[in-house]
Amino acid sequence: MSECCSKKDVTIKAGDPCSPPEGPCQSAAAPTEKAGECPLTWFKNMIPNCLEYARAAKADGKRIVGILCEYTPRELIMAADGVPVCLCGGSAKTIPVAEEHLPANLCPLIKSTYGYHAQRSNPFLEMADLVVAETTCDGKKKMYELMAESRPMYVLELPQRENDRDALDHWTSELHRFRAELEGRFGLQVTNDKIREAIHVMNRERALRRALAELMKANSPPLTGRQLLGLKSSISGIPADFKQYENALKIFGNGVRTADLSSRVRVLMTGVPVVHGAERVVDIIEDHGGVIVCMENCTGLKPILDDVDAEANDPIRALAEKYYRLHCSVMTRNDRRMECLRRLAAEYRAQCVIELVWQACLTYDVESYRVKKLAEKELGIPYLRIETDYSPSDSARIAVRVEALFETVRGGGRGGSGCGRV
Amino acid sequence: MSLVAGLDVGSTTTKLVLMESSQILSAEVSPTGPSCRKTAENLLSAALKSSGRDRSEIRRTVSTGYGRRLIDFSDRTVSEITANARGATWLHNGAVPIGTIIDVGGQDSKVISLDESGSVVNFGMNDKCAAGTGRFLEVTARVLEIDLDQLGELSLRANKALEISSVCTVFAESEIVSLISQGESVENIAAALHRSIARRVSDLVASVGLREAVFYDGGPALNRGLVVALEKELGVSLIVPDSPQVVTAVGAALIASELP
């Protein structure tokens, strides 16, 4: 490809978690000036906010606990006076270092996370008193062994059979052991009452984020998918964040729109998580005429769809039930994901499904065949699978596919026939 | 319809088509080179000259291809998938409407599935890899020290089925070197290369689904050897237009003609 034509025709944002990408906020900021800060601006400073919060918490005697997966119940960490912080890496920059130890043909999320570890460049990881890992995928599982050589680490063993009593029992006992681990390591009691308290906090956070996501059901969504993606935090349960979620709900629930998105193609995005710093494909989709009205993945709706029963007699069992139900592609068979996609496609009136697969993510990659069939045969909407990593080299090629998909949805440039499929 | 231009800025070649009243007035092809803007300007001048028209007469221009967004004088951009479908259905005059388009390009291959009305229903593209594209032929022709346009004809004179197993262009190159050192003929090696691409392309066809009639375009469709290898691999006959390189540019011009 010639130099001239390889000039990227999409905006690629910096992939460094410590310098969050820009997001337009100005237009939405105006009506809330008196509240001091627009929620979009607030969360644009998410990493500095979290750092400040974590440092203050640490100085206050709290433990910083790194987590790497949505299966890890933040409630237990919070009940142990811990601050759960997500450590998933979204930067291409840390990958070369990781490849000194890890195979090149491994998912970029794993490599990036490990790169931060090897470079000691993730301030949250450096602050962490404990890292909680899980056995969600083979790549992560084996990477954790290397990380554990120099970090305090605890691994939760996640059973992988769906709808299975024994599996749920095992997961419950894993959470009991985790509680004991936290108690022993930090020298405190993780009482049922404290767990219930944490459940209330997390339920509140999930409800707020869910309500925000549901605003995207509107004909003219108030935010882009990229902006909604930014409305969350690496650390759960920060009171200032909750205020801003409420603030955002007030603003965007009352007719304020950051742009007129009513003529965009409504996209249901699924697949792997879009972690902080790795939002390139989201940007490509929304720079080419789409709006992601629903993100069914770990950085979107999946972990916040269900709450935990805060009144349950056995809060550990209640936690186990919620988290075991998460429909990650490691589960077999993962029918719950298909059910969820069916429901979300209808609720959010998706016109197409775009699935993101990080390179070498075996389980999502294989399962994409089922999602494709579901979209095309059952839902009757076009499906596009994008397999990529954190490097921007294929952005132009992804853009062509996305554009062609949207032209197909709109009737293939044949002029005004509305929806070409269905 | 007044004068319109369709421009397809591909990775290897740039194509420009001038149309008026459903007539192709001029179709120009040139290597894209280091500056696609300059190439596009040159093609436009050449096309206007050969058709005796003036630039000011062009009502609309639509660009497509990898460099589509870099063309200053274009009124709209469209993806090459939509443009290709448009051009192919317009050029095709067979009794059976096109069900599948296979477009082997300079750096990627595409398979496009159409419904009866000619709308795109599905498509597939190869990933981050030159295997199954024109680039594969370019690289291997160089190793064999023969002209790219002779490669296809040579392959048709093969008398032995050799195997090139690697799908990777770089590794295939070293396989060729070892076949040469084993004294295998250029004809037989060329045939193996074409089979290798055909297999790769037919994998893509299988993932999208094959429906006749099958239209085959893109620059490498000029290569007879590849047409034969693909037909054999797919088990269907292919409809190859007279100028397979400009189909997508024709589609862009047709879309331009519909712009207000």
Side-chain angles (χ1 to χ4, degrees):
Chain A
M1 184 175 205
S2 72
E3 184 55 33
C4 168
C5 296
S6 65
K7 290 266 161 35
K8 52 189 189 292
D9 54 2
V10 291
T11 334
I12 310 301
K13 269 105 186 194
D16 187 344
C18 294
S19 60
E22 299 293 310
C25 189
Q26 290 69 23
S27 56
T32 57
E33 277 311 322
K34 68 174 176 38
E37 199 140 26
C38 156
L40 294 177
T41 314
W42 169 261
F43 284 104
K44 216 166 88 178
N45 288 322
M46 187 271 284
I47 295 290
N49 291 346
C50 283
L51 266 176
E52 197 187 317
Y53 181 85
R55 286 194 182 117
K58 187 126 180 147
D60 206 28
K62 290 197 167 196
R63 305 315 208 291
I64 306 299
V65 180
I67 61 171
L68 296 132
C69 180
E70 285 296 335
Y71 276 105
T72 303
R74 291 179 173 87
E75 288 90 339
L76 282 179
I77 295 164
M78 291 156 94
D81 272 344
V83 174
V85 52
C86 171
L87 300 176
C88 291
S91 170
K93 286 185 208 150
T94 60
I95 288 181
V97 180
E99 285 179 353
E100 289 174 19
H101 297 171
L102 300 173
N105 186 28
L106 188 67
C107 133
L109 199 162
I110 300 177
K111 285 191 287 190
S112 177
T113 306
Y114 187 83
Y116 276 110
H117 150 77
Q119 282 182 332
R120 302 194 158 273
S121 55
N122 180 341
F124 298 107
L125 177 59
E126 297 314 310
M127 248 189 261
D129 298 283
L130 176 67
V131 176
V132 184
E134 33 30 68
T135 58
T136 38
C137 90
D138 287 352
K140 284 170 95 179
K141 190 172 77 185
K142 301 309 283 185
M143 179 273 271
Y144 295 147
E145 292 175 13
L146 307 188
M147 231 171 125
E149 287 176 7
S150 57
R151 309 261 178 198
M153 170 151 330
Y154 185 78
V155 181
L156 291 161
E157 203 214 358
L158 178 77
Q160 302 185 351
R161 188 184 286 151
E162 196 183 49
N163 298 326
D164 185 89
R165 184 89 199 168
D166 289 345
L168 178 59
D169 286 347
H170 176 70
W171 184 233
T172 310
S173 84
E174 277 295 300
L175 297 192
H176 277 292
R177 284 172 65 180
F178 180 38
R179 163 155 73 176
E181 165 74 22
L182 290 168
E183 288 178 331
R185 184 178 285 269
F186 298 154
L188 42 73
Q189 288 277 300
V190 178
T191 62
N192 280 355
D193 281 345
K194 291 190 89 172
I195 297 174
R196 286 194 193 98
E197 228 173 273
I199 290 173
H200 275 294
V201 173
M202 283 308 299
N203 280 352
R204 175 80 186 133
E205 179 166 311
R206 283 185 281 258
L208 286 167
R209 286 189 52 211
R210 205 162 50 225
L212 276 172
E214 283 170 359
L215 296 177
M216 302 300 278
K217 289 179 183 175
N219 265 335
S220 178
L223 300 154
T224 62
R226 178 71 177 81
Q227 287 170 329
L228 179 70
L229 180 65
L231 290 177
K232 61 173 168 36
S233 185
S234 290
I235 295 178
S236 285
I238 300 181
D241 284 346
F242 283 27
K243 277 214 181 69
Q244 291 294 339
Y245 290 136
E246 286 162 4
N247 198 3
L249 273 171
K250 254 186 240 143
I251 298 169
F252 300 114
N254 284 312
V256 173
R257 270 147 189 58
T258 55
D260 180 11
L261 303 168
S262 54
S263 60
R264 303 272 195 105
V265 173
R266 301 174 69 89
V267 178
L268 167 58
M269 192 171 180
T270 183
V272 296
V274 180
V275 304
H276 187 72
E279 298 93 346
R280 179 175 59 106
V281 174
V282 169
D283 291 332
I284 294 174
I285 292 168
E286 296 198 324
D287 284 347
H288 288 82
V291 56
I292 298 168
V293 288
C294 179
M295 209 180 262
E296 182 279 329
N297 59 23
C298 277
T299 42
L301 272 172
K302 191 197 290 175
I304 57 174
L305 282 172
D306 293 331
D307 284 331
V308 182
D309 181 2
E311 312 310 321
N313 276 335
D314 180 354
I316 295 269
R317 183 71 177 187
L319 284 173
E321 279 171 2
K322 182 248 160 14
Y323 287 94
Y324 172 63
R325 275 199 306 268
L326 285 176
H327 47 264
C328 175
S329 60
V330 292
M331 286 293 171
T332 185
R333 321 174 16 127
N334 196 19
D335 289 336
R336 212 187 299 277
R337 178 172 177 216
M338 305 303 143
E339 282 158 31
C340 182
L341 285 170
R342 253 178 225 121
R343 183 160 66 86
L344 294 176
E347 283 178 7
Y348 288 82
R349 288 170 296 125
Q351 292 173 286
C352 60
V353 175
I354 298 183
E355 174 149 25
L356 178 65
V357 176
W358 294 135
Q359 237 160 50
C361 177
L362 209 63
T363 52
Y364 273 106
D365 205 355
V366 175
E367 201 166 280
S368 70
Y369 184 68
R370 286 186 73 190
V371 179
K372 178 182 162 75
K373 267 206 312 201
L374 176 86
E376 291 178 350
K377 302 270 189 290
E378 201 186 312
L379 304 175
I381 52 177
Y383 167 91
L384 180 69
R385 173 178 158 282
I386 297 172
E387 184 192 358
T388 186
D389 57 18
Y390 289 177
S391 82
S393 62
D394 58 353
S395 291
R397 271 177 262 199
I398 294 172
V400 171
R401 288 165 206 226
V402 168
E403 252 178 83
L405 175 79
F406 292 164
E407 286 163 358
T408 305
V409 170
R410 295 195 154 117
R414 298 178 70 80
S417 66
C419 200
R421 249 190 99 88
V422 187
Chain B
M1 115 184 171
S2 44
L3 194 64
V4 290
L7 191 61
D8 175 11
V9 187
S11 63
T12 310
T13 58
T14 296
K15 286 75 67 173
L16 186 135
V17 165
L18 278 184
M19 287 184 85
E20 188 175 45
S21 310
S22 296
Q23 293 282 319
I24 297 173
L25 302 185
S26 169
E28 304 284 336
V29 180
S30 158
T32 298
S35 164
C36 59
R37 277 198 193 90
K38 212 149 122 205
T39 307
E41 284 291 340
N42 293 344
L43 284 175
L44 184 64
S45 306
L48 288 167
K49 198 172 167 198
S50 74
S51 54
R53 305 297 289 259
D54 188 77
R55 187 167 183 157
S56 62
E57 294 176 68
I58 299 177
R59 198 178 60 83
R60 287 284 180 252
T61 302
V62 165
S63 59
T64 184
Y66 279 114
R68 64 193 177 285
R69 294 197 171 195
L70 300 170
I71 304 305
D72 312 320
F73 59 87
S74 144
D75 297 295
R76 202 186 130 183
T77 63
V78 67
S79 78
E80 43 268 51
I81 290 164
T82 299
N84 194 341
R86 240 2 258 292
T89 46
W90 187 79
L91 287 164
H92 177 64
N93 53 11
V96 182
I98 299 172
T100 311
I101 300 170
I102 298 173
D103 169 15
V104 177
Q107 71 165 16
D108 64 28
S109 302
K110 303 178 193 78
V111 174
I112 306 166
S113 182
L114 304 182
D115 66 13
E116 291 72 19
S117 70
S119 295
V120 176
V121 285
N122 196 3
F123 61 90
M125 285 168 77
N126 72 343
D127 270 311
K128 283 189 173 178
C129 176
T133 72
R135 186 77 78 234
F136 187 80
L137 286 179
E138 268 179 43
V139 169
T140 49
R142 208 162 48 225
V143 184
L144 293 171
E145 292 182 350
I146 45 178
D147 282 347
L148 187 57
D149 31 345
Q150 287 171 29
L151 201 61
E153 290 305 321
L154 275 174
S155 76
L156 296 173
R157 297 206 292 271
N159 55 17
K160 182 175 169 190
L162 298 175
E163 185 75 14
I164 289 177
S165 54
S166 179
V167 290
C168 171
T169 308
V170 178
F171 290 127
E173 196 175 331
S174 59
E175 273 192 65
I176 295 164
V177 172
S178 70
L179 287 173
I180 294 172
S181 68
Q182 287 161 31
E184 299 292 355
S185 75
V186 172
E187 288 83 355
N188 290 341
I189 296 173
L193 284 171
H194 287 78
R195 269 199 306 281
S196 163
I197 297 195
R199 263 202 306 273
R200 185 80 177 171
V201 172
S202 70
D203 286 348
L204 190 61
V205 173
S207 73
V208 174
L210 178 74
R211 269 201 14 258
E212 292 192 76
V214 184
F215 192 86
Y216 173 41
D217 62 24
L222 292 164
N223 173 330
R224 275 297 303 158
L226 195 50
V227 175
V228 171
L230 260 175
E231 286 184 330
K232 207 165 163 194
E233 197 66 42
L234 294 169
V236 297
S237 56
L238 302 174
I239 299 159
V240 185
D242 294 334
S243 306
Q245 277 180 296
V246 300
V247 175
T248 302
V250 168
L254 288 166
I255 293 167
S257 74
E258 285 161 10
L259 289 182

